[in-house]
Amino acid sequence: AAYWRGHAANFCSAGRRSSLARAWNLGLDAAKGDWAVLLAQDALPAHPRWAARLVAAMADPQVAAAFGRRVARVGASPPEAPRTLKLARRGDFDRLDVDGRAAFCRFESACACVRREVWRKAPFRALAGAEGVAWARAALLSGHALVHVPSAEVYAAPSAHPLADWARGVRAAARAAVL
C-alpha cells in the first residue's frame, strides 16, 4: 500500500480466508467507472505506465479485459506486442483441444483491467486456482475479446513455500477441468 500513496487508488480487503474470486468481486463491486484495474497483493508495477497500457487496450468495447504479465525481478525477457484473443464463432472453441482452450483462456490476474459491465454478467467464481480461466472462458464465449498486454509488467514474488510445486499442479488440474 505504501507504493500507492499519492496515487488515485482504492483498496478493499476480502479478509485473510477469502477466495481470490471473492476479493476480485469485492474490488470490482466497489470500483467506480467502466473498468477497474486489479493488482495482486504480491505484485509491484515494473514501470509507471503499466496501468495506462492496460486501460489503453480497453478502447474497443468488445474487450472484456486486458492483462499484463508477471516477470522475475532479474533477467526478464523483453515485452512482446499486445495480442487480442477473440473467437470468430463459438464452435471454434468447441473444436479446440484442452491445450488450445488453455491458450485461449489465458488470464493473468496479477495485473488486469476488467470491464465492469462484462463482470456484472459473469462475476468471478471461487474455483481453486481456475478463477481467471473460468472467467476468461465465459467472456470469450459471450463474444468478448481479451487483450494480452505484455508491456504492462509487474514484478511478482515467486513462492518459496515447500508445497508450491504441489499447489501449482492442483491449480493446473483445476484449470483443465474448467476448460
Side-chain angles (χ1 to χ4, degrees):
Y3 175 87
W4 294 104
R5 283 193 196 10
H7 292 79
N10 294 318
F11 297 94
C12 63
S13 174
R16 290 194 184 281
R17 300 234 181 252
S18 282
S19 70
L20 185 57
R22 178 166 159 64
W24 289 343
N25 289 333
L26 283 171
L28 285 159
D29 190 48
K32 310 261 186 289
D34 294 334
W35 339 281
V37 175
L38 306 175
L39 182 67
Q41 80 284 355
D42 66 343
L44 183 65
H47 49 78
R49 302 226 5 106
W50 71 275
R53 291 173 180 169
L54 291 173
V55 170
M58 302 298 290
D60 179 348
Q62 285 298 304
V63 173
F67 58 98
R69 70 179 189 142
R70 291 181 191 232
V71 295
R73 293 184 196 271
V74 179
S77 60
E80 315 137 26
R83 188 177 86 188
T84 300
L85 306 168
K86 184 167 173 57
L87 296 168
R89 293 173 302 282
R90 181 185 171 106
D92 294 345
F93 186 81
D94 297 334
R95 285 189 282 281
L96 294 171
D97 64 10
V98 172
D99 291 334
R101 290 177 181 192
F104 235 92
C105 294
R106 186 172 168 205
F107 182 76
E108 176 56 68
S109 63
C111 69
C113 184
V114 175
R115 188 171 306 279
R116 293 178 69 228
E117 175 186 341
V118 175
W119 163 78
R120 281 186 196 100
K121 294 175 185 170
F124 290 99
R125 297 179 298 149
L127 295 170
E131 294 93 341
V133 171
W135 188 83
R137 180 180 189 273
L140 288 165
L141 291 177
S142 68
H144 292 281
L146 302 173
V147 178
H148 180 218
V149 185
S151 64
E153 299 172 319
V154 296
Y155 296 126
S159 175
H161 194 278
L163 295 176
D165 288 338
W166 174 81
R168 262 191 297 281
V170 169
R171 287 191 301 272
R175 285 189 293 273
V178 166
L179 297 171

